[in-house]
Amino acid sequence: MAELQFREAIRAAIDEEMAQDEGIFVMGEEVAEYDGAYKVTEGLLDKYGPKRMIDTPISELGFAGIGIGAAMNGLRPIVEFMTFNFAVLAADQIINHASKVRYMTGGQVEVPIVFRGPNASAGQLSATHSVAYDAMYAHFPGLKVIYTSEPEDAKGLLKSAIRDDNPVLFMESEQMYGLKGEVSEEEDFTIPIGKGKVKREGSDVTVVAHGKMYHVAKQAAQQLAKEDVEVEIIDPRTVKPLDIEMIVKSIKKTNRCVIVDESHPFGGLAGEVGYLIQREAFDYLDAPVQRVTLPDTSAPFAKNLFDEWLPSANEVIDAVNTVTYRK
C-alpha cells in the first residue's frame, strides 16, 4: 500500500486516466500554470501540455458549458471548480443541461463529464463559502454525486467517475487535501460508484457519515468505545446512487442508527436516509433514528460561533446516547 495525501490520490487518478485516454482533459481556474488552487493538478501541465490542461477565466457558467459541449461530442472533460460554492454560478449548466441531455435525446447523446472540487465548509470562510451541495445536486435525476472521506476512496471512485458515461459531481474538502492514507497499489484500482463501505465494525449502533463528517464520527466512536459502546460506521462514499442495502444490513444487526451530515437539516442527505431506513428497516429499529446536522442557519465567521455551528464528536455521542437510551 502506498501512503498518499488526498490531493495526491486525486492527482494519481487523473494522471492514470489521462495516460490511457487522449479524450480526457482538465479545465478550470488555475489548474494548469498554477498547478491547481490546492495543487491537485501539480505537474500535469508539463506532462500533458496546454491542450489537455486548460486554464479558464473566472467564469464557471461558461467553462462548465464548454465542458458539457465537449462531452456531448465524444470527449471526457474533468472540470475543476475552485469550490462548489462558486459552482452555484454553473448550476444552470449542470442541472438544466448536463443532467437532462441524455434523457431529452432518448439516450442518443451521452455526457461523460466530471465536475470536481471542494465542497462544504473549510473553516472560517463565512456564509457564502461554507455550503454542502451534495444533497442539492443529488436531488436531480441524471446526476451522480460522490463525496469521499479518505484518499483511497477518492482515487478509486474518481477513476470510475471519469470512465462513467453520465455527469458525475465529485466532491472533496479543502480541509482534507493534506490528509494522508493508505492507497491500494493494485494496477488499475477502481471502486464501483454506488458502493458504500463499513469503515468500523460494531454491534451497538450504526452511524452513517460521509466526507468530513466521517472523521467526526470516527472521533466519536473512539470515545464511545471507552464506555463499551461499539459503533459501526458506514461511509456511503456515493451520495447518489446510495448504498441503502449496506445501511439496512447494518441496522438489522445494531437496531439503532445515527446519521451525521454536514448539510442543513431540511432536505439534506440525513432526511432522505432517515426516510429510507423507516421504509426498509422499520421493524428492526429499537429507537427512532437520530441525525446530527448543521443548524438551519448559515455559517458564522467568528471561530467560537463556527465551532458551535459545525457538527462535533460530542453531538454524535449525544445522539448515540439517545438511541441507546443511555441518557
Side-chain angles (χ1 to χ4, degrees):
M1 302 285 276
E3 187 175 58
L4 300 179
Q5 291 183 341
F6 215 98
R7 62 167 60 84
E8 293 171 332
I10 296 170
R11 184 189 309 141
I14 295 171
D15 189 9
E16 290 177 17
E17 293 305 296
M18 290 184 76
Q20 58 85 29
D21 186 344
E22 292 186 353
I24 298 170
F25 68 95
V26 178
M27 63 191 307
E29 298 151 351
E30 301 182 341
V31 299
E33 295 287 347
Y34 191 68
D35 289 328
Y38 300 99
K39 304 307 174 191
V40 168
T41 51
E42 186 173 27
L44 298 182
L45 175 62
D46 293 338
K47 189 169 184 178
Y48 295 105
K51 288 187 178 179
R52 298 181 67 191
M53 293 297 302
I54 303 170
D55 280 326
T56 67
I58 303 174
S59 178
E60 287 82 4
L61 176 68
F63 66 77
I66 291 170
I68 293 166
M72 291 170 64
N73 283 278
L75 299 177
R76 290 185 177 272
I78 301 169
V79 174
E80 177 179 307
F81 295 123
M82 200 173 289
T83 160
F84 270 94
N85 286 280
F86 298 163
V88 174
L89 298 167
D92 176 59
Q93 290 293 340
I94 299 170
I95 293 169
N96 271 336
H97 300 282
S99 73
K100 296 177 172 65
V101 167
R102 188 170 191 167
Y103 174 75
M104 294 180 72
T105 61
Q108 296 181 76
V109 179
E110 295 174 338
V111 188
I113 186 170
V114 173
F115 301 99
R116 53 154 293 271
N119 179 49
S121 69
Q124 291 176 265
L125 297 183
S126 199
T128 58
H129 292 63
S130 304
V131 180
Y133 286 98
D134 44 303
M136 185 193 86
Y137 284 111
H139 173 75
F140 297 98
L143 297 177
K144 298 182 180 180
V145 181
I146 297 167
Y147 187 13
T148 58
S149 63
E150 296 186 297
E152 181 169 271
D153 296 337
K155 182 182 179 184
L157 276 161
L158 181 54
K159 284 170 67 72
S160 295
I162 295 168
R163 297 179 187 186
D164 202 282
D165 289 331
N166 300 285
V168 180
L169 289 97
F170 190 90
M171 300 187 171
E172 304 146 17
S173 168
E174 286 103 323
Q175 293 177 310
M176 295 198 300
Y177 282 128
L179 175 73
K180 289 186 176 180
E182 291 187 337
V183 177
S184 173
E185 294 182 286
E186 176 187 327
E187 186 175 354
D188 201 24
F189 170 72
T190 61
I191 296 172
I193 294 173
K195 295 295 181 185
K197 184 175 183 179
V198 178
K199 294 283 181 76
R200 185 185 193 280
E201 293 192 358
S203 56
D204 295 320
V205 58
T206 299
V207 172
V208 180
H210 70 313
K212 247 192 341 281
M213 292 300 101
Y214 162 71
H215 299 280
V216 173
K218 188 177 172 183
Q219 292 173 24
Q222 290 168 345
Q223 289 297 318
L224 286 161
K226 296 175 184 176
E227 301 172 21
D228 296 324
V229 177
E230 291 302 328
V231 174
E232 179 149 296
I233 302 177
I234 292 182
D235 180 354
R237 305 190 292 193
T238 303
V239 175
K240 190 180 183 182
L242 178 72
D243 192 351
I244 188 64
E245 292 81 8
M246 177 174 285
I247 296 170
V248 168
K249 182 179 179 182
S250 177
I251 290 171
K252 287 181 178 179
K253 179 173 70 172
T254 66
N255 309 114
R256 297 168 172 85
C257 185
V258 172
I259 307 157
V260 190
D261 185 10
E262 200 181 347
S263 296
H264 301 292
F266 194 95
L269 177 66
E272 178 65 16
V273 174
Y275 162 74
L276 291 171
I277 289 171
Q278 68 82 27
R279 190 186 73 182
E280 303 292 334
F282 183 81
D283 290 340
Y284 295 91
L285 290 171
D286 285 344
V289 175
Q290 294 291 313
R291 63 182 179 179
V292 177
T293 69
L294 298 174
D296 193 18
T297 186
S298 297
F301 176 76
K303 187 175 187 311
N304 59 331
L305 297 178
F306 180 84
D307 291 344
E308 285 293 318
W309 176 81
L310 193 68
S312 67
N314 284 337
E315 289 178 85
V316 178
I317 291 170
D318 286 344
V320 169
N321 287 339
T322 298
V323 298
T324 54
Y325 301 110
R326 297 174 73 243
K327 72 170 189 178

